[in-house]
Amino acid sequence: MAEQILVTGGAGYIGSHVVVALHEAGYTPVIFDNFNNARRDVPVRLAQIMGTAPSVIEGDIRDSACLDQAFQEHEVGGVIHLAAHKAVGESVAKPLAYFDNNVGGFLNLLGAMERAGCKRLVFSSSATVYGEPDETPTPETAPRRAMNPYGRTKIICEEMLQDLCTADPEWAVGVLRYFNPAGAHGSALIGEDPADIPNNLMPYIAKVATGALAKISVFGNDYDTPDGTGVRDYIHVEDLAEGHVLSLAQLRQGNGHLVNLGTGRGYSVLEMIAAYQRATNRQLPYEIVARREGDVPIYCAKTEKARDLLGFEAKRGLDEMCASSWAWMQAQERGND
Ligand code: WQD
């Protein structure tokens, strides 16, 4: 059997695309997910894409016994840790839930890995650790400045990993700071599927395009950006998933790293709306409203380190992100026939 990689959160938006990328790279992905933020039919859809059903362990990273059992049942060569809460606003309202899950759960996972002798980890971090960066595009050397509990959980986890690797050089760790994932798998069988009203821009626009939501609220147009609206570095979720495979390959050679995963190109909210209009050939209503608390004007990644250390470069552009998102939305409307 090909090397087994445990993917926590493997039934989620990023996780499901990582599972496909691992399979395509010759690994055997094992999904570990509590399905709190994932539809239960995702593994079935993954089987359609991959041609074989992935192993699935329904479990919570805060359950040590469940984690230990997963490592007893599977010869795990490495872990890709994606299971975390990730909504900034929610983290402000429920900080304890975020520290319990994102930090406590992670501590649990590291303990289970150590007990199993599995010391190869890819960790999903976030550009949110940069807070309001002094420079954009932002390099990995920029200071970490949490602006909210969610960002603080990511900084704490990164610092835990620094201390662990200092104490035990046997650990090989890849820290990947995501910018803004967007789009869906080319099969339109998996994609971003927020349970309720989306926090993030692309899935919100997508629901306006289907008519499920009435109009887009543009959170401020008085930022110091070309058209006054927020600029972000959107990266196709399939590019992002492929970055995880490249990270794992480096860890197999013992090369730990901390890199941004972005495109280096920023797009404003109005540019996103225009791109989605092109993809759907539909006029999408929007209204300029007040800024959202905690938003920063621009997030954009410096990408040279990921290129030099992982050989990673994003291949897919904004139009492909919008087209794949729209195909996914239409497939859902058709019931994914
Ligand atoms: C993008 C832009 C908004 C919604 C968040 C998390 C981050 C990461 C990615 C996990 C901003 C504007 C948005 C809307 C809008 N998640 N916007 N109307 O805030 O950059 O990052 O998701 O790692 O941690 O913070 O993404 O998609 O919410 O916002 O105008 O209805 O779109 O102001 O400029 P964000 P986003």
Side-chain angles (χ1 to χ4, degrees), residues 274-288:
Y276 219 92
Q277 287 182 153
R278 286 196 298 276
T280 56
N281 198 22
R282 296 182 179 188
Q283 205 53 35
L284 301 178
Y286 67 86
E287 178 189 1
I288 306 292

Side-chain angles (χ1 to χ4, degrees), residues 219-244:
F219 297 148
N221 68 345
D222 57 353
Y223 286 104
D224 182 15
T225 62
D227 65 17
T229 64
V231 171
R232 294 292 184 273
D233 184 334
Y234 297 93
I235 177 171
H236 197 294
V237 66
E238 288 196 81
D239 280 331
L240 189 74
E242 288 161 14
H244 288 71

Side-chain angles (χ1 to χ4, degrees), residues 119-144:
K119 298 184 176 181
R120 199 181 290 159
L121 170 72
V122 177
F123 174 68
S124 160
S125 191
S126 167
T128 307
V129 303
Y130 293 121
E132 183 151 359
D134 299 327
E135 60 177 304
T136 55
T138 304
E140 291 82 353
T141 51
R144 291 180 291 210

Side-chain angles (χ1 to χ4, degrees), residues 201-228:
L201 180 65
M202 170 84 78
Y204 199 102
I205 293 176
K207 289 207 168 186
V208 171
T210 64
L213 292 170
K215 68 179 168 189
I216 302 152
S217 298
V218 177
F219 297 148
N221 68 345
D222 57 353
Y223 286 104
D224 182 15
T225 62
D227 65 17

Side-chain angles (χ1 to χ4, degrees), residues 85-89 124-129 148 150-151 154 178-181 192 198-205 215-220 223 229-234 267-269 272-273 287 289-292 294-299:
H85 298 327
K86 62 120 189 162
V88 168
S124 160
S125 191
S126 167
T128 307
V129 303
N148 50 68
Y150 166 67
K154 290 299 182 183
Y178 302 173
F179 278 69
N180 288 58
E192 193 158 12
N199 289 307
N200 293 131
L201 180 65
M202 170 84 78
Y204 199 102
I205 293 176
K215 68 179 168 189
I216 302 152
S217 298
V218 177
F219 297 148
Y223 286 104
T229 64
V231 171
R232 294 292 184 273
D233 184 334
Y234 297 93
Y267 290 98
S268 74
V269 178
M272 288 292 283
I273 293 171
E287 178 189 1
V289 299
R291 292 183 174 190
R292 178 174 65 179
D295 272 352
V296 299
I298 300 179
Y299 267 136

Side-chain angles (χ1 to χ4, degrees), residues 89-108:
E90 186 185 52
S91 80
V92 174
K94 301 175 182 171
L96 292 184
Y98 272 66
F99 285 108
D100 177 46
N101 188 63
N102 291 10
V103 179
F106 186 45
L107 190 56
N108 244 12

Side-chain angles (χ1 to χ4, degrees), residues 18-316:
V18 167
V19 164
V20 172
L22 286 169
H23 172 75
E24 287 172 352
Y27 292 99
T28 298
V30 178
I31 292 171
F32 186 95
D33 206 307
N34 63 8
F35 288 91
N36 278 358
N37 192 24
R39 281 176 27 174
R40 290 191 172 279
D41 66 349
V42 167
V44 172
R45 299 158 184 254
L46 287 171
Q48 284 178 264
I49 296 169
M50 295 158 46
T52 177
S55 298
V56 179
I57 300 164
E58 182 166 354
D60 193 304
I61 53 173
R62 291 165 296 187
D63 179 346
S64 288
C66 188
L67 282 169
D68 286 338
Q69 189 177 350
F71 284 99
Q72 282 150 22
E73 288 171 358
H74 297 271
E75 186 70 36
V76 176
V79 173
I80 296 182
H81 178 49
L82 307 173
H85 298 327
K86 62 120 189 162
V88 168
E90 186 185 52
S91 80
V92 174
K94 301 175 182 171
L96 292 184
Y98 272 66
F99 285 108
D100 177 46
N101 188 63
N102 291 10
V103 179
F106 186 45
L107 190 56
N108 244 12
L109 174 66
L110 293 174
M113 290 178 70
E114 194 162 61
R115 287 190 293 275
C118 175
K119 298 184 176 181
R120 199 181 290 159
L121 170 72
V122 177
F123 174 68
S124 160
S125 191
S126 167
T128 307
V129 303
Y130 293 121
E132 183 151 359
D134 299 327
E135 60 177 304
T136 55
T138 304
E140 291 82 353
T141 51
R144 291 180 291 210
R145 290 186 187 132
M147 302 246 301
N148 50 68
Y150 166 67
R152 243 181 301 285
T153 66
K154 290 299 182 183
I155 291 175
I156 292 169
C157 290
E158 287 192 7
E159 290 175 337
M160 283 161 63
L161 288 171
Q162 278 170 260
D163 290 342
L164 179 60
C165 292
T166 302
D168 179 355
E170 280 185 20
W171 279 86
V173 172
V175 176
L176 307 181
R177 289 177 176 165
Y178 302 173
F179 278 69
N180 288 58
H185 189 262
S187 66
L189 284 167
I190 52 175
E192 193 158 12
D193 189 10
D196 42 25
I197 299 205
N199 289 307
N200 293 131
L201 180 65
M202 170 84 78
Y204 199 102
I205 293 176
K207 289 207 168 186
V208 171
T210 64
L213 292 170
K215 68 179 168 189
I216 302 152
S217 298
V218 177
F219 297 148
N221 68 345
D222 57 353
Y223 286 104
D224 182 15
T225 62
D227 65 17
T229 64
V231 171
R232 294 292 184 273
D233 184 334
Y234 297 93
I235 177 171
H236 197 294
V237 66
E238 288 196 81
D239 280 331
L240 189 74
E242 288 161 14
H244 288 71
V245 173
L246 292 171
S247 174
L248 205 52
Q250 285 305 315
L251 299 185
R252 294 178 79 173
Q253 300 172 45
N255 303 329
H257 47 272
L258 181 156
V259 297
N260 292 331
L261 286 188
T263 67
R265 169 80 164 84
Y267 290 98
S268 74
V269 178
L270 295 181
E271 286 176 313
M272 288 292 283
I273 293 171
Y276 219 92
Q277 287 182 153
R278 286 196 298 276
T280 56
N281 198 22
R282 296 182 179 188
Q283 205 53 35
L284 301 178
Y286 67 86
E287 178 189 1
I288 306 292
V289 299
R291 292 183 174 190
R292 178 174 65 179
E293 187 65 33
D295 272 352
V296 299
I298 300 179
Y299 267 136
C300 196
K302 262 186 87 57
T303 58
E304 289 77 5
K305 209 173 159 205
R307 181 197 61 204
D308 297 344
L309 295 186
L310 306 187
F312 174 79
E313 286 192 278
K315 300 192 291 281
R316 300 162 178 92

